[in-house]
Amino acid sequence: MSHDLPKAYDPTAIEDRWSAYWVRERLFDVPTPKDAPDAPAFTVLLPPPNVTGNLHMGHMFEHTETDILVRWQRMCGKNTLWVPGTDHAGIATQMLVERQLADEGKTRQELGREAFVERVWEWRQHYGGNILKQMKRIGDTVDWSREYFTMDDNLSVAVREAFVRLHEQGLIYRGAYIVNWCPVQQTAISDLEVVHEEQKGNLWEIRYPVIEEPGQFLTIATTRPETMLGDVAVAVNPDDDRYKHLHGKRLRLPLMGREIPVITDSWVSADFGTGAVKVTPAHDPNDFTLGQRHGLPSINVMDETAHINAEGGAYAGLDRYEARKRILADLEAQGLLGTTKEHVNSIGKCDRCKAVVEPRLSMQWFIKIQPLADKAIAAVEQGYIKFTPEQYAKTYFEWMRNIHDWCISRQLWWGHRIPAWHCRTCKQITVARETPAKCSHCGSAELEQEKDVLDTWFSSGLLPCSVFGWPRHSHDLDVFYPTQLLVTGFDILFFWVARMIMLGCHFMQDVPMPDGSGRELKDAVPFREVYIHALVRDADRQKMSKTKGNVIDPIEIIEHYGTDAVRFTLASMASPGTDIAFSEARTEGNRAFANKIWNSARFVFMQVERAKEAGITVDLAGLAAALKPAADAPLEARWIVSRLRMAAENVQSALTNYRFDEAAATVYQFFWGELCDWYLEIVKLRLNFDDVSQKAETEAALRTLLAVFEVALRMLSPFMPFITEEIWQALYDGEPPAKSIALTVYPQPAAMTDDASATTQMAALQDLIVTVRSLRKDLAVPEKEAAPIEVFSGSAFGEQAQANAPMLAKLARVSGVTIAKAALSGNNARSTADFDVAVVYERQIDVAAERERLTKELAKYDKVLQSSEKQLGNEAFLAKAPQSVVDGLKKQQAEMKLLYGKTKAALDAL
Ligand SMILES: [Zn+2]
Ligand SMILES: [Zn+2]
């Protein structure tokens, strides 16, 4: 590495190199400290992406925000650990491998369970975890030595322990229950995995003959007629006068011939359909409750694939929709089908495979959730966990206070198999940590392990404990638990965040504190803060979706603009609760910002080289003093250090409040606005390498320049880690004080002097310079020509302006400053709150040439005016033209009139 930076900034040339370096050098690995560490821990757990996943814009955003915070906290001296890993993603991964098998003409059933699971591991070996490579590419500063996979042995031990303990505590039970059943994946799925869609369907009326009163019927209405095969009753509201005469009577179930009772229940709404509802406990959650209340049997008429089973009589073997058709036809033929009405249904679909979910009675495992939920509610109520934005605490409470027992079994092959064994001899169940040899009830060796696996969220819910070694009481747990922060999306607030809180609070209360004392709820929580980030939408604020075709691939955009520009764009729009409209134009703007930084570095390095030639070398290790300039140091030095201090302070407070946007704006404004546009221009005047008499002054200026530039790089580095690493390493010319800029200290305001008077003075001078520039433009002073100014002010500002004449000369082409005795006016003067200024300039003009030029211009304007007048007077044109075109023309006309007037006046004045 040397001071030579290539002329052009090319992110592709530097980013891969640094991301590989960071990983190779294991810069962000955090071994377990031997003793209690001095620095407080800042631990963050990455929401584990699915092992099948690829980085999308949502990840890019989440990782950018997290990495900025993590880099910043690390540079602030915290013992910072960001733990990466992937989730085995039961349903998604099984689906993917099943699809692969299907391409080979095979099914998992043909393969058998063991071979199938083997196959999934193989798949993972070859294709899984692509997202981890992408994370390396974008520079996430995670500890790769701690990378986990939820199916790893150590994490599986934790899963087993958690299950067995909950079982021992009487918090796990098994029961027949109506679950959302996906007939494609043939597994129960949770309420959260069901997406509801409005769909046009029918409401069919079916007439059930009344046994006691031949010729009489009770008409029910249903949207799923095929489930009638499992009917066990018909229910009416007890107060519904229409049906009072049928209370206690029996009906003949059409097509099946079974006798079923008419029951009364006030849950039935007299207004829906006919006011009489069929009761099918095995295929509808409400009917299931109703059935339990009335002691009715449950008849399951469908198999795992939503085909009618043997209980469905003549319809056995038919797919549910085929059965529906046949049943309706048969009812029609028997004269039992009443009217058919169109009806909009809310259809539940499987979030993964989009199959219509079938409510189905099946044997499942559940967690009695209330005792866990109570602690999790208390943890947030008592402020042990804080949500940002705050409104998510409300959402959390709403869900937690209406929580149902958690169905944790899934009928999949890929996942943590439930540690329960069924005894073939006594039919009892043995739950154990280790595979038991004998039934714990009768001692029989005829055991078979439960086929179901655990819901994927059961294992990911344990991660904050299990990644640190739980159920062992590890030193890692002492040091890193609870984690400080979780950055995640609202879509997994219940799936994951709430479950981590429940499981963490439940299990960790049994783990003593590092000093051996008991652990209270406040230290059992899995994290102290949850930051829920917003969504990334497209530039038109539309949600990105494959169907709309507006999905932006972060890797593609990174290849085009560089990771730094993409990160900076995301950061500059990120604040709590605000969705991001990702725009390429802004990214291009931030790419230009990176370019500006690059060029400023080249300028700085060039000064260092020039200094060397002049015999001046600056020891970069001794620059701290330059950040505390003496009161008599040059104005611009005191000013830029003050501004840098202010910027560092603002970034710190913005990041504390998750105002990434404000932090980014501060850095941008400082780097581009103050450092590049002003300071670098002014400091050039002090760098007189050829003038031996000014050696001390030059050296001092160079020291300030280097000190400020180096601090600015550190301030920027969490936002743009690649370019800052490249420049910072080059600055140190192969001998950096740390292996990475990411391992240095974040700029601390206390290390820099605040100089209010320098700030005020410089602000006034800047104001003066901007005013003079604009005056010169209005007066059409040629760019190259210098002109003197007059300044009038009630204070000492005139003298200050005179003292900074070289700065004014350089930045506003001021050839001299005279202090005026009275207020200034006229078309060459301007007034501000602090001063009046006039540019003294006599235009030297060639009257004949000027007249010719103005005449030509007048003619041009006139032509345009005439043409637009003609168009705007044309009714036919106006009737057809879009409003925007008409408005444009009107605007143009007004502008032209103005220009015409001005030019005419100038011509007359000649
Ligand atoms: Zn499905
Ligand atoms: Zn037994």
Side-chain angles (χ1 to χ4, degrees):
M1 198 60 51
S2 83
H3 284 155
D4 285 333
L5 288 179
K7 219 175 199 154
Y9 163 61
D10 175 10
T12 51
I14 62 173
E15 293 187 353
D16 282 337
R17 180 154 44 80
W18 288 118
S19 56
Y21 170 81
W22 295 331
V23 175
R24 187 176 66 236
E25 295 291 319
R26 303 201 153 276
L27 294 188
F28 309 109
D29 287 8
V30 185
T32 314
K34 289 220 169 59
D35 312 302
D38 299 335
F42 185 77
T43 321
V44 178
L45 189 66
L46 172 81
N50 286 353
V51 65
T52 52
N54 283 299
L55 194 84
H56 56 59
M57 215 52 193
H59 293 126
M60 183 71 202
F61 183 43
E62 182 173 287
H63 291 218
T64 296
E65 287 185 325
T66 313
D67 195 49
I68 287 173
L69 294 172
V70 162
R71 283 176 181 267
W72 168 58
Q73 291 283 3
R74 186 184 291 115
M75 291 175 77
C76 288
K78 299 265 179 70
N79 184 21
T80 303
L81 169 63
W82 185 12
V83 186
T86 45
D87 191 288
H88 67 280
I91 295 187
T93 314
Q94 176 156 334
M95 233 170 89
L96 220 135
V97 178
E98 278 190 88
R99 243 184 251 145
Q100 216 180 40
L101 283 177
D103 289 345
E104 300 164 19
K106 291 185 226 158
T107 67
R108 75 179 150 103
Q109 286 82 1
E110 283 164 20
L111 229 61
R113 185 167 187 148
E114 235 168 86
F116 178 77
V117 170
E118 200 52 46
R119 176 81 189 234
V120 182
W121 279 107
E122 239 169 70
W123 177 90
R124 187 229 173 195
Q125 195 70 30
H126 291 299
Y127 311 102
N130 187 43
I131 193 163
L132 298 170
K133 285 182 210 123
Q134 294 172 315
M135 282 171 60
K136 286 174 184 158
R137 171 62 187 82
I138 62 172
D140 285 350
T141 57
V142 300
D143 178 347
W144 289 108
S145 73
R146 292 176 181 265
E147 182 196 327
Y148 64 83
F149 178 52
T150 48
M151 288 289 281
D152 284 344
D153 287 345
N154 54 337
L155 297 193
S156 302
V157 166
V159 167
R160 242 184 205 211
E161 178 66 29
F163 184 92
V164 175
R165 260 194 225 183
L166 287 168
H167 186 263
E168 286 168 354
Q169 291 161 349
L171 295 176
I172 284 198
Y173 66 93
R174 192 166 177 258
Y177 202 76
I178 285 276
V179 291
N180 304 297
W181 187 266
C182 170
V184 171
Q185 280 140 345
Q186 299 170 33
T187 179
I189 56 177
S190 79
D191 290 347
L192 299 167
E193 290 160 322
V194 179
V195 279
H196 291 274
E197 271 175 33
E198 297 273 284
Q199 215 170 64
K200 257 195 208 154
N202 288 316
L203 189 63
W204 287 279
E205 292 186 359
I206 306 171
R207 305 198 291 170
Y208 287 21
V210 181
I211 292 176
E212 286 84 353
E213 295 176 29
Q216 293 263 1
F217 299 91
L218 178 52
T219 305
I220 60 94
T222 179
T223 57
R224 288 156 59 219
E226 63 281 8
T227 60
M228 69 174 291
L229 302 175
D231 282 1
V232 295
V234 170
V236 296
N237 189 295
D239 300 327
D240 192 337
D241 289 333
R242 291 174 296 176
Y243 301 123
K244 279 198 167 145
H245 66 289
L246 293 176
H247 291 184
K249 299 269 159 60
R250 286 166 308 145
L251 307 169
R252 178 80 58 204
L253 179 63
L255 308 178
M256 300 300 288
R258 200 162 51 236
E259 277 185 21
I260 57 172
V262 175
I263 59 167
T264 59
D265 196 291
S266 48
W267 170 81
V268 179
S269 157
D271 304 328
F272 179 76
T274 60
V277 296
K278 56 199 261 332
V279 182
T280 326
H283 293 282
D284 182 281
N286 291 320
D287 292 11
F288 181 72
T289 323
L290 203 64
Q292 289 205 312
R293 204 153 51 225
H294 293 268
L296 297 167
S298 297
I299 303 174
N300 193 338
V301 297
M302 280 186 220
D303 67 10
E304 291 82 355
T305 61
H307 283 66
I308 306 299
N309 64 18
E311 294 285 352
Y315 304 93
L318 295 178
D319 167 76
R320 55 184 161 170
Y321 298 118
E322 185 54 34
R324 178 182 294 183
K325 268 191 230 157
R326 295 269 291 272
I327 286 166
L328 289 170
D330 291 348
L331 287 171
E332 173 99 81
Q334 295 178 23
L336 295 174
L337 192 62
T339 51
T340 303
K341 287 179 191 141
E342 279 197 358
H343 179 74
V344 178
N345 276 338
S346 166
I347 301 270
K349 290 189 172 173
C350 170
D351 196 20
R352 295 276 168 199
C353 72
K354 309 300 170 213
V356 174
V357 165
E358 192 68 44
R360 182 172 183 271
L361 189 69
S362 62
M363 210 47 143
Q364 302 289 345
W365 293 84
F366 291 87
I367 294 185
K368 233 179 249 174
I369 209 71
Q370 205 56 52
L372 279 74
D374 289 343
K375 279 181 226 169
I377 290 168
V380 177
E381 265 176 353
Q382 288 167 31
Y384 302 147
I385 298 174
K386 191 181 142 228
F387 281 91
T388 303
E390 268 173 46
Q391 85 238 25
Y392 285 107
K394 215 178 124 218
T395 318
Y396 169 82
F397 285 133
E398 266 165 25
W399 190 71
M400 292 300 286
R401 287 178 180 140
N402 294 295
I403 198 167
H404 301 290
D405 283 356
W406 179 10
C407 172
I408 48 170
S409 44
R410 295 290 181 271
Q411 290 65 48
L412 300 172
W413 285 356
W414 176 239
H416 298 102
R417 201 160 167 179
I418 289 178
W421 285 263
H422 300 270
C423 173
R424 288 201 199 93
T425 313
C426 73
K427 308 288 172 210
Q428 301 248 56
I429 291 172
T430 304
V431 168
R433 290 174 177 80
E434 302 294 336
T435 307
K438 289 185 295 186
C439 167
S440 63
H441 305 278
C442 74
S444 160
E446 291 286 295
L447 292 178
E448 190 187 5
Q449 187 172 2
E450 168 65 53
K451 288 194 171 64
D452 291 356
V453 297
L454 287 162
D455 181 5
T456 301
W457 299 103
F458 185 85
S459 54
S460 42
L462 290 167
L463 284 173
C465 328
S466 59
V467 294
F468 297 121
W470 186 88
R472 277 184 307 111
H473 180 182
S474 67
H475 191 35
D476 267 345
L477 271 183
D478 285 346
V479 177
F480 298 115
Y481 193 96
T483 67
Q484 262 59 48
L485 176 66
L486 177 72
V487 179
T488 191
F490 71 90
D491 53 333
I492 52 174
L493 184 59
F494 306 130
F495 276 126
W496 194 47
V497 180
R499 269 114 183 220
M500 281 192 286
I501 299 177
M502 289 191 283
L503 294 172
C505 291
H506 185 74
F507 289 115
M508 283 304 288
Q509 275 200 287
D510 298 335
V511 178
M513 295 295 284
D515 64 5
S517 62
R519 188 177 294 259
E520 286 172 28
L521 186 58
K522 90 176 158 48
D523 296 311
V525 296
F527 27 74
R528 305 258 181 232
E529 283 192 40
V530 182
Y531 176 68
I532 302 281
H533 61 71
L535 286 179
V536 183
R537 297 168 180 271
D538 74 3
D540 299 322
R541 301 209 156 271
Q542 299 283 313
K543 228 175 163 170
M544 290 190 195
S545 84
K546 279 189 191 140
T547 24
K548 277 190 220 144
N550 61 347
V551 174
I552 299 171
D553 176 1
I555 299 294
E556 236 170 68
I557 203 107
I558 277 168
E559 274 162 14
H560 201 79
Y561 297 101
T563 312
D564 283 332
V566 177
R567 282 175 65 117
F568 203 83
T569 303
L570 290 168
S572 67
M573 291 189 279
S575 70
T578 317
D579 282 355
I580 292 217
F582 186 81
S583 109
E584 277 206 51
R586 275 189 86 149
T587 315
E588 202 163 351
N590 287 320
R591 158 83 199 238
F593 177 43
N595 214 43
K596 187 85 184 172
I597 296 162
W598 188 262
N599 290 337
S600 67
R602 284 176 49 80
F603 167 80
V604 171
F605 293 169
M606 207 188 341
Q607 307 316 311
V608 173
E609 291 306 315
R610 287 177 62 201
K612 232 186 244 168
E613 283 162 25
I616 300 170
T617 47
V618 173
D619 177 12
L620 289 167
L623 286 180
L627 299 171
K628 302 247 178 194
D632 62 348
L635 173 65
E636 79 277 359
R638 289 180 287 130
W639 167 74
I640 194 72
V641 167
S642 255
R643 296 306 298 162
L644 181 58
R645 178 196 157 99
M646 175 62 85
E649 213 168 80
N650 289 347
V651 172
Q652 303 259 28
S653 87
L655 287 182
T656 305
N657 297 306
Y658 305 103
R659 292 303 304 255
F660 300 91
D661 55 343
E662 286 175 4
T666 301
V667 174
Y668 184 94
Q669 175 52 30
F670 176 81
F671 217 109
W672 193 320
E674 293 177 317
L675 185 66
C676 293
D677 281 356
W678 290 96
Y679 179 69
L680 294 189
E681 292 306 315
I682 300 168
V683 82
K684 279 176 189 167
L685 299 167
R686 309 270 181 199
L687 298 170
N688 298 306
F689 296 107
D690 305 330
D691 188 344
V692 183
S693 70
Q694 294 196 40
K695 193 173 171 188
E697 206 193 358
T698 300
E699 187 174 334
L702 184 64
R703 292 173 68 85
T704 308
L705 169 64
L706 287 171
V708 167
F709 188 71
E710 197 270 344
V711 174
L713 285 178
R714 280 189 274 133
M715 184 167 75
L716 176 64
S717 89
F719 304 87
M720 292 188 151
F722 292 96
I723 190 173
T724 49
E725 183 83 282
E726 174 80 10
I727 296 172
W728 184 82
Q729 299 266 1
L731 181 65
Y732 283 95
D733 218 358
E735 287 169 13
K739 284 187 117 176
S740 163
I741 189 171
L743 301 177
T744 60
V745 175
Y746 202 73
Q748 299 298 310
M752 296 170 256
T753 301
D754 181 20
D755 189 328
S757 103
T759 314
T760 324
Q761 272 188 48
M762 187 64 197
L765 282 172
Q766 284 175 305
D767 200 7
L768 178 67
I769 289 165
V770 171
T771 312
V772 170
R773 282 177 185 161
S774 126
L775 265 173
R776 286 172 52 94
K777 210 173 208 173
D778 286 357
L779 298 169
V781 183
E783 194 68 39
K784 287 193 178 131
E785 217 168 295
I789 58 169
E790 287 182 296
V791 176
F792 171 77
S793 152
S795 64
F797 181 64
E799 286 76 14
Q800 280 165 20
Q802 276 180 327
N804 287 284
M807 186 196 298
L808 299 179
K810 172 113 177 74
L811 298 179
R813 299 223 161 264
V814 171
S815 55
V817 182
T818 325
I819 298 174
K821 299 259 178 329
L824 298 162
S825 62
N827 69 344
N828 68 333
R830 283 275 198 318
S831 298
T832 73
D834 295 326
F835 57 81
D836 294 347
V837 60
V839 171
V840 185
Y841 181 65
E842 285 295 328
R843 285 177 84 189
Q844 305 294 318
I845 40 172
D846 176 340
V847 176
E850 186 66 1
R851 174 162 295 147
E852 196 187 326
R853 187 180 73 82
L854 291 172
T855 313
K856 265 191 198 157
E857 268 187 7
L858 264 188
K860 191 174 81 193
Y861 298 150
D862 191 43
K863 206 171 153 195
V864 179
L865 262 178
Q866 279 189 21
S867 138
S868 61
E869 257 161 36
K870 203 169 138 198
Q871 272 185 302
L872 287 171
N874 181 342
E875 296 285 340
F877 167 78
L878 287 181
K880 266 190 290 178
Q883 193 56 40
S884 60
V885 171
V886 177
D887 288 347
L889 270 174
K890 282 186 179 158
K891 193 165 163 244
Q892 189 195 37
Q893 192 185 36
E895 280 167 8
M896 278 300 144
K897 273 187 182 154
L898 203 75
L899 278 172
Y900 186 90
K902 271 192 179 177
T903 314
K904 185 81 173 40
L907 191 61
D908 292 347
L910 275 176

